Amino acid sequence: MDMNSFSPMMPTSPLSMINQIKFEDEPDLKDLFITVDEPESHVTTIETFITYRIITKTSRGEFDSSEFEVRRRYQDFLWLKGKLEEAHPTLIIPPLPEKFMVKGMVERFNDDFIETRRKALHKFLNRIADHPTLTFNEDFKIFLTAQAWELSSHKKQGPGLLSRMGQTVRAVASSMRGVKNRPEEFMEMNNFIELFSQKINLIDKISQRIYKEEREYFDEMKEYGPIHILWSASEEDLVDILKDVASCIDRCCKATEKRMSGLAEALLPVVHEYVLYSEMLMGVMRRRDQIQAELDSKVEALTYKKADADLLPEEIGKLEDKVECANNALKADWERWKQNMQNDIKLAFTDMAEENIHYYEQCLATWESFLTSQTNLHLEEASEDKP
Amino acid sequence: MTHNNFWLKKIEISVSEAEKRTGRNAMNMQETYTAYLIETRSVEHTDGQSVLTDSLWRRYSEFELLRNYLLVYYPHIVVPPLPEKRAEFVWHKLSADNMDPDFVERRRIGLENFLLRIASHPILCRDKIFYLFLTQEGNWKETVNETGFQLKADSRLKALNATFRVKNPDKRFTDLKHYSDELQSVISHLLRVRARVADRLYGVYKVHGNYGRVFSEWSAIEKEMGDGLQSAGHHMDVYASSIDDILEDEEHYADQLKEYLFYAEALRAVCRKHELMQYDLEIAAQDLASKKQQCEELATGTVRTFSLKGMTTKLFGQETPEQREARIKVLEEQINEGEQQLKSKNLEGREFVKNAWADIERFKEQKNRDLKEALISYAVMQISMCKKGIQVWTNAKECFSKM
């Protein structure tokens, strides 16, 4: 199958974007493969930081080569995200893992934290690669391919800090002006996002709590088996059965450890990513509202004949286009995002259910074989008693 | 459980009910206590039908009185223990309140078990006071006290003294004492950890219940996922509530272990009695030996042992030959008596060791049977818990995959 069967040009109609959802998850048509691995610590006089190795394999024509290897630090990811948000204010950009651990870590760079972050960064880049629009973003390409010094010099070219600050101020100002003219569908979207955000945050907390409880259960179970061994030391006639019980408990203990790690792998990162997504979505709504607010303020100015009434209609025309573009982009991406979200959540919870089923099946097998061996023993003893 | 002694037919005993009562205690203050209904049925051989022959109410303190009586009159028997007076080894959800219905229920079962153990003991079941406990409601306490058993009881101080000073106890009893210490220590440890494990398990199950609520709320805003979320949430609720029954069953298992925890004390009581008797014997032998020596010295005129008479003789002058003769005579009588006593003490001691050891062997068989059964029932409980878990999560998985 032709790898480049869809056009590398930026699709402008929402319809073509929606069509691309179908192609997305088929690995055959993927032409950009990214991995994030090998975290390395770097120590300079001013700071210590971690870089991650990023390997890109591609068959796309616009890339100079088919394989790239670069090292990036968290700051670089932040920069990329910023650029993507700037270029596509109403697209749903994948979230980055948090800058710091929420629960106040003692050591900034412990292994678990780095590993969790690495996985999240891997996901981040792959989500961008899978996005029909973002995957062709120029800054994304530079991020994946440029050498360190190239990236630094490219970064300096962007709009300065002051202009970015100016944007933020304008954004805050216009968001404060209110969203009175927000179209119905975006009202609905906003309601969904608010509720979704609440629920996913709760689910995140519940899932973390379950992990914690399972860990504490595991810790106590570790002590439980050995006591039966201790007991067997003073009971001549019960040595075997006590040792068997101890080994059953130990096996169930291992099974519970496996269940815990399954939860940590399958469920927790997904739920947490969607917590971050929900924050991201609120940002997208704000930006969309801001774009609309710009238009609304100009229309207002025209209505009340403020300032340069001649130039306004032209400006308004441009802004109307801008609003329409932004809205369409968001609508299409919204559908795509919802679809992905449903799949991801469904998969994550199905995996969690599977882990639990497997855990109980293992424990069941353990105890059933214990029971069988006891019954067999009993039958043996009974037949021995017979003359 | 059946036996036949005072009863011509086989009997069944059950502690079938528990009731809260108020009354006035010895100091005329109002108190609340629980009374337990004990029903005795005799079973017809021919058709297996049972007829209620006796039914009366007893409170915990009366059970205690019965047990204390049995301890005194059957010191060579490993007397079955009572269920605990106050709830111990509780995990957080379990109430430590004596009036809590779950505690009362478990105690009812424990008291029934206590009576069944006595009824199935070849020696204890023949006891008259036990028979009256089951059949004579009024005046029973007075009847027990009239036996004067409290006076016959060995003082704690005497027993402690004997334990420290005995020189040659039967090695089997020394070993038994060590065994009972170990048994008590290991079962306590096990029960403590089990309680902590139960606590944690409770936590794991209950937190899943929170999913139920949130899924339900979330399903309201989801069109396609809504149904799947809603029904999955229901299964999470089922999962969360299933732990209550699971842990209640486990509590019965814990009670079975607790009985043997308390049996350890009963074993030690038998060992203490042996030590007391042995010590008594040793003192008597020592006494006899010293009297013999005194006698010999008086007869031969040598003074090796200290005696009060010897002292006073030194202080107040020699005694006359008549006086000496008199003393020798007294001593000879005492020696005779002493030898008789020693003989009977020896016999008593040997009888005690024989009978006690027979009961201990019986106890050991019972313990091995019971503990094996308890461990197997624990496995059965785990299996049931796993099966429930598989079912709930399979249902949940189906709901999730339909989302």
Side-chain angles (χ1 to χ4, degrees):
Chain A
M1 194 172 246
D2 185 10
M3 283 293 203
N4 290 319
S5 58
F6 52 83
S7 163
M9 277 160 48
M10 187 184 298
T12 46
S13 80
L15 197 61
S16 69
M17 275 187 184
I18 291 170
N19 280 337
Q20 288 190 25
I21 298 169
K22 298 190 202 123
F23 294 129
E24 217 172 318
D25 293 325
E26 293 171 28
D28 299 338
L29 295 168
K30 244 177 98 139
D31 59 0
L32 189 64
F33 297 88
I34 306 172
T35 55
V36 178
D37 61 10
E38 280 195 17
E40 246 176 45
S41 189
H42 298 256
V43 186
T44 68
T45 44
I46 347 167
E47 56 176 350
T48 309
F49 59 91
I50 306 265
T51 62
Y52 302 85
R53 180 176 74 162
I54 302 175
I55 297 184
T56 308
K57 293 196 173 97
T58 181
S59 60
R60 286 190 196 165
E62 62 270 26
F63 283 79
D64 296 333
S65 159
S66 62
E67 204 171 311
F68 296 89
E69 185 178 316
V70 297
R71 285 212 150 257
R72 298 283 179 252
R73 57 185 291 191
Y74 185 78
Q75 263 180 27
D76 300 328
F77 285 85
L78 271 174
W79 168 84
L80 175 62
K81 178 154 174 266
K83 297 298 283 180
L84 291 173
E85 280 175 351
E86 218 182 283
H88 309 280
T90 58
L91 284 188
I92 302 171
I93 314 292
L96 269 180
E98 286 117 326
K99 211 161 185 335
F100 303 110
M101 278 280 278
V102 184
K103 296 240 163 98
M105 262 168 28
V106 178
E107 206 190 287
R108 219 174 114 213
F109 296 129
N110 79 37
D111 289 341
D112 282 338
F113 175 73
I114 293 172
E115 180 58 17
T116 311
R117 187 179 258 197
R118 183 197 66 75
K119 284 191 196 142
L121 293 174
H122 176 99
K123 200 118 198 245
F124 171 73
L125 291 177
N126 277 284
R127 284 213 190 267
I128 299 173
D130 292 339
H131 192 291
T133 309
L134 298 176
T135 192
F136 299 108
N137 180 281
E138 191 59 31
D139 291 310
F140 180 51
K141 175 157 164 274
I142 291 173
F143 179 92
L144 291 174
T145 59
Q147 289 309 303
W149 59 269
E150 286 177 322
L151 184 64
S152 299
S153 77
H154 177 82
K155 276 191 194 181
K156 293 192 174 91
Q157 286 167 27
L161 183 65
L162 275 131
S163 85
R164 265 183 282 146
M165 273 175 66
Q167 270 179 7
T168 317
V169 169
R170 275 202 301 275
V172 170
S174 53
S175 73
M176 279 163 65
R177 202 172 297 147
V179 292
K180 36 196 170 144
N181 293 329
R182 192 194 273 160
E184 182 61 36
E185 58 196 324
F186 293 111
M187 289 299 278
E188 271 179 39
M189 198 184 287
N190 194 59
N191 287 338
F192 181 94
I193 290 169
E194 271 177 23
L195 275 161
F196 175 80
S197 173
Q198 270 177 34
K199 300 313 157 198
I200 199 73
N201 269 287
L202 281 170
I203 291 181
D204 183 53
K205 287 201 182 70
I206 295 169
S207 310
Q208 302 275 2
R209 178 79 189 277
I210 288 178
Y211 182 81
K212 177 171 165 283
E213 293 285 341
E214 283 184 5
R215 154 132 264 135
E216 291 181 341
Y217 173 68
F218 171 69
D219 287 339
E220 295 295 349
M221 276 292 265
K222 274 192 289 191
E223 238 193 277
Y224 197 32
I227 297 178
H228 293 78
I229 303 275
L230 191 69
W231 192 358
S232 71
S234 52
E235 297 283 347
E236 315 172 296
D237 299 300
L238 299 174
V239 175
D240 291 331
I241 192 174
L242 283 170
K243 282 200 172 143
D244 287 343
V245 169
S247 93
C248 285
I249 293 175
D250 286 339
R251 255 176 280 156
C252 290
C253 204
K254 283 198 178 69
T256 215
E257 191 175 23
K258 187 168 176 299
R259 172 173 69 161
M260 242 167 50
S261 72
L263 191 76
E265 289 255 348
L267 185 70
L268 301 183
V270 173
V271 172
H272 198 68
E273 194 193 13
Y274 278 95
V275 167
L276 297 171
Y277 251 128
S278 70
E279 282 165 31
M280 162 67 60
L281 285 167
M282 296 203 253
V284 170
M285 287 303 294
R286 271 198 304 273
R287 286 195 290 273
R288 190 219 73 84
D289 289 343
Q290 184 207 333
I291 292 172
Q292 183 173 313
E294 269 184 63
L295 169 66
D296 290 348
S297 74
K298 293 287 183 213
V299 169
E300 217 183 281
L302 186 68
T303 320
Y304 294 111
K305 294 219 164 40
K306 290 183 191 163
D308 309 308
D310 319 318
L311 296 171
L312 277 178
E314 203 188 316
E315 272 185 60
I316 287 177
K318 280 202 200 126
L319 285 173
E320 277 173 348
D321 284 342
K322 192 173 173 193
V323 166
E324 196 186 324
C325 235
N327 285 350
N328 289 339
L330 176 55
K331 263 195 284 196
D333 215 24
W334 174 248
E335 289 307 318
R336 181 181 168 274
W337 178 85
K338 270 190 84 173
Q339 189 64 38
N340 274 348
M341 183 271 283
Q342 280 172 350
N343 288 340
D344 289 345
I345 296 287
K346 174 171 147 173
L347 192 67
F349 277 106
T350 309
D351 281 349
M352 173 179 86
E354 188 58 53
E355 284 291 333
N356 276 289
I357 293 171
H358 189 66
Y359 162 73
Y360 281 112
E361 280 177 346
Q362 268 191 297
C363 293
L364 181 67
T366 304
W367 289 107
E368 275 183 338
S369 90
F370 165 82
L371 212 63
T372 314
S373 73
Q374 287 301 314
T375 321
N376 289 343
L377 225 75
H378 190 71
L379 291 170
E380 266 174 42
E381 286 169 5
S383 65
E384 273 168 24
D385 291 340
K386 292 195 176 104
Chain B
M1 254 294 137
T2 63
H3 205 95
N4 48 344
N5 274 291
F6 277 100
W7 303 276
L8 299 173
K9 304 188 172 71
K10 284 191 175 184
I11 58 149
E12 283 172 3
I13 307 175
S14 65
V15 177
S16 50
E17 273 171 55
E19 209 177 75
K20 232 197 241 187
R21 300 249 179 106
T22 44
R24 292 208 171 270
N25 67 7
M27 289 172 283
N28 210 32
M29 295 196 306
Q30 238 205 1
E31 57 168 1
T32 319
Y33 63 90
T34 313
Y36 300 88
L37 179 65
I38 305 173
E39 292 177 320
T40 314
R41 289 179 163 74
S42 76
V43 186
E44 300 285 333
H45 281 297
T46 45
D47 58 2
Q49 288 260 337
S50 71
V51 174
L52 186 68
T53 53
D54 291 281
S55 115
L56 39 66
W57 293 86
R58 294 267 184 233
R59 53 185 294 190
Y60 188 85
S61 57
E62 289 173 284
F63 282 85
E64 279 183 311
L65 190 61
L66 172 65
R67 184 163 193 272
N68 289 338
Y69 161 84
L70 291 172
L71 281 172
V72 171
Y73 272 92
Y74 302 90
H76 58 292
I77 301 289
V78 184
V79 178
L82 281 170
E84 53 194 356
K85 191 152 193 166
R86 260 161 271 286
E88 269 181 69
F89 304 109
V90 287
W91 50 281
H92 91 275
K93 195 222 156 203
L94 212 57
S95 171
D97 173 21
N98 279 9
M99 287 293 157
D100 178 78
D102 286 332
F103 178 76
V104 168
E105 173 59 17
R106 290 192 0 259
R107 188 192 254 191
R108 181 193 67 73
I109 295 172
L111 291 173
E112 186 178 278
N113 189 50
F114 168 74
L115 293 176
L116 293 173
R117 291 265 190 223
I118 298 176
S120 60
H121 192 285
I123 296 170
L124 294 178
C125 67
R126 293 174 218 256
D127 186 89
K128 178 129 202 232
I129 296 289
F130 173 59
Y131 171 71
L132 293 174
F133 182 86
L134 297 173
T135 56
Q136 180 190 313
E137 184 153 24
N139 246 10
W140 177 80
K141 278 217 294 232
E142 287 75 11
T143 313
V144 184
N145 288 328
E146 273 165 21
T147 63
F149 80 93
Q150 276 116 339
L151 300 168
K152 286 189 87 188
D154 298 315
S155 83
R156 272 242 170 243
L157 206 59
K158 238 176 94 182
L160 200 64
N161 190 39
T163 304
F164 284 125
R165 295 199 182 182
V166 69
K167 293 200 186 84
N168 285 319
D170 186 313
K171 187 174 183 299
R172 288 178 297 175
F173 286 94
T174 317
D175 291 342
L176 186 67
K177 225 175 31 158
H178 287 149
Y179 168 76
S180 70
D181 287 339
E182 272 170 36
L183 186 72
Q184 179 168 330
S185 150
V186 82
I187 295 186
S188 305
H189 192 189
L190 199 148
L191 287 170
R192 249 176 292 133
V193 176
R194 191 213 71 88
R196 288 205 300 261
V197 170
D199 214 0
R200 292 286 155 227
L201 192 63
Y202 183 79
V204 171
Y205 273 75
K206 285 299 177 190
V207 181
H208 280 87
N210 292 336
Y211 273 145
R213 190 177 41 89
V214 180
F215 281 176
S216 173
E217 290 167 4
W218 186 359
S219 70
I221 56 172
E222 291 287 348
K223 293 194 202 81
E224 298 96 0
M225 278 211 308
D227 290 335
L229 271 176
Q230 181 87 296
S231 40
H234 162 73
H235 292 298
M236 292 294 99
D237 286 333
V238 170
Y239 182 68
S241 60
S242 68
I243 191 67
D244 297 311
D245 285 341
I246 290 169
L247 287 177
E248 204 181 292
D249 286 344
E250 250 195 47
E251 214 53 49
H252 290 296
Y253 167 71
D255 283 341
Q256 284 176 289
L257 295 182
K258 266 186 222 173
E259 192 193 14
Y260 279 92
L261 176 69
F262 302 142
Y263 256 124
E265 179 52 37
L267 285 173
R268 275 200 295 271
V270 176
C271 295
R272 274 199 301 270
K273 183 68 186 182
H274 165 74
E275 282 168 348
L276 203 64
M277 290 180 80
Q278 179 66 16
Y279 179 65
D280 227 20
L281 189 69
E282 285 170 7
I283 291 296
Q286 215 179 303
D287 212 44
L288 185 66
S290 122
K291 284 206 161 68
K292 281 189 175 163
Q293 183 136 40
Q294 269 183 55
C295 203
E296 192 207 309
E297 283 170 8
L298 281 178
T300 60
T302 51
V303 184
R304 264 169 306 169
T305 55
F306 174 81
S307 75
L308 198 56
K309 206 64 184 152
M311 210 58 240
T312 53
T313 307
K314 281 208 149 51
L315 292 169
F316 300 113
Q318 280 279 355
E319 55 181 359
T320 65
E322 290 85 17
Q323 283 175 318
R324 194 169 347 134
E325 271 309 312
R327 283 219 305 174
I328 292 177
K329 201 125 198 149
V330 169
L331 276 172
E332 275 176 352
E333 264 172 46
Q334 285 179 342
I335 287 170
N336 239 337
E337 227 180 277
E339 273 177 346
Q340 299 281 25
Q341 268 194 18
L342 195 64
K343 225 176 179 171
S344 73
K345 276 197 164 92
N346 247 317
L347 204 68
E348 244 181 79
R350 279 203 296 273
E351 271 299 302
F352 178 88
V353 167
K354 189 179 87 177
N355 293 332
W357 209 254
D359 199 52
I360 286 162
E361 290 296 334
R362 184 205 58 83
F363 168 78
K364 276 194 188 154
E365 302 267 310
Q366 175 198 295
K367 166 196 61 111
N368 289 338
R369 264 197 320 267
D370 289 347
L371 289 177
K372 267 199 189 137
E373 208 182 284
L375 290 167
I376 287 173
S377 80
Y378 182 75
V380 171
M381 273 183 258
Q382 298 307 303
I383 287 172
S384 155
M385 178 173 92
C386 291
K387 284 189 175 157
K388 278 190 210 166
I390 291 173
Q391 186 175 58
V392 169
W393 283 105
T394 307
N395 290 341
K397 182 178 166 191
E398 216 184 286
C399 296
F400 287 135
S401 60
K402 285 204 187 116
M403 287 196 325

